[in-house]
Structure formats: C-alpha cells, structure tokens
Amino acid sequence: MDACRKYGITRFHQVSTDEVYGDLPLDRPDLFFTEGTPIHTSSPYSSSKAGADLLVLAYYRTYGLPVTISRCSNNYGPYHFPEKLIPLMIANALNDKPLPVYGKGENVRDWLYVEDHCKAIDLIIHKGRAGEVYNIGGHNEMRNIDIVKLICKELGKPESLITFVTDRKGHDLRYAIDPAKIHAELGWLPETKFADGIKKTIKWYLDNREWWETIISGEYKNYYEKMYGNR
C-alpha cells in the first residue's frame, strides 16, 4: 500500500473472506453476514485476514488511498487446489480412496462458483465506491456431508468411501453471506447454481487429471499424510 501511494494507483483491492465474521449457529438459518457484522475471528488464518482488512481501511482513512474490500464465501471450480474439500473428494473418489470428512460433516458453507467471484471483483474494481466493503455470496448453502454424497453420486462411487475424521480445532459451524449491497449498488448476482457448478467442476477435474495428479504426487502427499494420516 505504501508503494501504491508512491506510484499513484487508482484502486487497491483487498480480496478478503467471510471468515473474518466468525460463524453463525446452525439452528438460525435466518441469520446472515452483512458488511456491518462485527469482525469476530475464530482462527489465526481469519485473524490475519481481518488484520489486513483493518490496515487497508486505515490507509483509506489516513492517506485517502482508493481501496475496496470484498469478503467472499467458499469458492469452487477449476484449478481449486487439491487440499480443499471439493477437489479432494473428487480426486479420492476417482481413485477409490477414503473420503475424509471432518466431524459429522454438518458444517455449512455458502458455495460460490469461482467465475462468479471473478466477475464480482471486476465490478468492484471498476464501479465500486472507494473505502467500501462488499460481501460476495453464492446463495448456495450446503452441508459438507451433502456435498460429498453428491460427488459420490455424480461419479458413481459408493458412499461407503466416506470416512469421518477428528474435527478441526475451532471449526466454524456455518457461513452465510447477504450480498444485498453489491446487488443493489453494482447489479451483481451469482449466475451459477450449485447443481450446475458442481457438474462443471467435476467435468473439469476429469478432463484435467494430469494437473491435479502432478500436485498430489508431490509435496501435497506429505501435507495429506500430516493432516489425515493419523485420524
């Protein structure tokens, strides 16, 4: 941001996360994150993102740096790194390996197709108001276990591959975003329904096995063993 001030950039955009808001209870489907929801982080990762957001807003207030921030829900789609839920389940299912699911798989996430996210960021950069935060949500709340079962169905694999493992520490229960602000100000809405997006995603991983198989065979193998090997 200092470099941006020095060279007079016209917009600094911070891609943040809905995780800065903490989580929502599973028994309150009426609650959603808005831009006014207080920051209440649960993990070191989300705390680092919240800290970055605060720095960005401070540069806007103190120096007038033209900034915007977007906080998005979980992304999915092509080129999603194989450690994440959806590509991990696709890769393991294709290889008839166990499908490790944290806890009981009841954690809820709001899934956003990556191309919809990119379009939202592009709109914010070009038309968003400086100094503003915009939430980007997919209107696609799904339990983790339901996503895994759907992937099994699409690939013709048995649900017996599902293996429940020890839950993550501080695992947030539910994320859900209200994207009313970006819709009202910039006209953005997610275009991809989850039922369509997950099929496109599975097809991409089927058509691009070399990309993710190369990753899994290398450093990721050590990561996988560290995270799931003793569970």
Side-chain angles (χ1 to χ4, degrees):
M1 286 185 286
D2 283 337
C4 290
R5 289 182 60 217
K6 180 178 179 180
Y7 293 103
I9 63 99
T10 56
R11 176 61 57 88
F12 180 99
H13 184 71
Q14 160 79 354
V15 179
S16 187
T17 171
D18 57 358
E19 290 190 47
V20 301
Y21 299 123
D23 64 354
L24 297 167
L26 294 175
D27 60 354
R28 288 294 305 275
D30 57 311
L31 296 180
F32 296 88
F33 296 139
T34 70
E35 289 80 2
T37 300
I39 288 176
H40 188 67
T41 59
S42 303
S43 67
Y45 164 76
S46 58
S47 296
S48 72
K49 295 293 283 187
D53 288 4
L54 293 174
L55 278 171
V56 169
L57 293 174
Y59 268 74
Y60 171 74
R61 176 168 178 171
T62 303
Y63 302 112
L65 185 70
V67 307
T68 42
I69 295 174
S70 60
R71 293 172 179 158
C72 70
S73 55
N74 282 41
N75 280 210
Y76 71 102
Y79 292 105
H80 203 176
F81 196 73
E83 69 167 337
K84 300 301 182 180
L85 176 69
I86 289 177
L88 175 63
M89 296 303 143
I90 294 172
N92 279 19
L94 287 172
N95 290 308
D96 296 309
K97 292 183 177 180
L99 308 179
V101 176
Y102 286 124
K104 297 180 180 179
E106 295 178 349
N107 303 72
V108 173
R109 298 292 181 263
D110 177 12
W111 292 92
L112 176 67
Y113 192 64
V114 64
E115 290 182 7
D116 288 339
H117 186 198
C118 292
K119 290 176 181 177
I121 291 174
D122 187 62
L123 267 176
I124 294 169
I125 290 173
H126 289 95
K127 297 182 178 180
R129 291 183 290 135
E132 293 294 316
V133 175
Y134 294 91
N135 283 349
I136 308 172
H139 285 307
N140 281 308
E141 286 187 58
M142 296 279 291
R143 296 192 309 167
N144 289 346
I145 187 62
D146 294 330
I147 288 178
V148 178
K149 289 181 178 179
L150 178 59
I151 290 171
C152 287
K153 181 179 179 181
E154 289 291 329
L155 293 175
K157 299 294 184 176
E159 292 183 7
S160 58
L161 290 174
I162 297 173
T163 303
F164 294 101
V165 300
T166 304
D167 206 354
R168 288 167 50 188
K169 295 181 183 297
H171 199 181
D172 288 333
L173 296 175
R174 172 176 171 255
Y175 300 149
I177 278 183
D178 179 1
K181 179 178 177 179
I182 190 173
H183 174 57
E185 290 192 12
L186 306 180
W188 180 89
L189 281 175
E191 300 174 9
T192 309
K193 295 181 179 179
F194 188 82
D196 299 325
I198 193 65
K199 289 182 179 179
K200 289 198 292 184
T201 300
I202 290 173
K203 184 179 186 304
W204 188 90
Y205 279 89
L206 287 170
D207 293 341
N208 295 273
R209 293 186 69 135
E210 184 178 357
W211 178 81
W212 53 266
E213 285 178 343
T214 299
I215 295 172
I216 290 176
S217 65
E219 294 182 6
Y220 174 72
K221 186 175 182 180
N222 295 328
Y223 176 91
Y224 184 92
E225 289 299 322
K226 178 180 177 182
M227 293 298 292
Y228 301 108
N230 297 319
R231 300 210 178 182

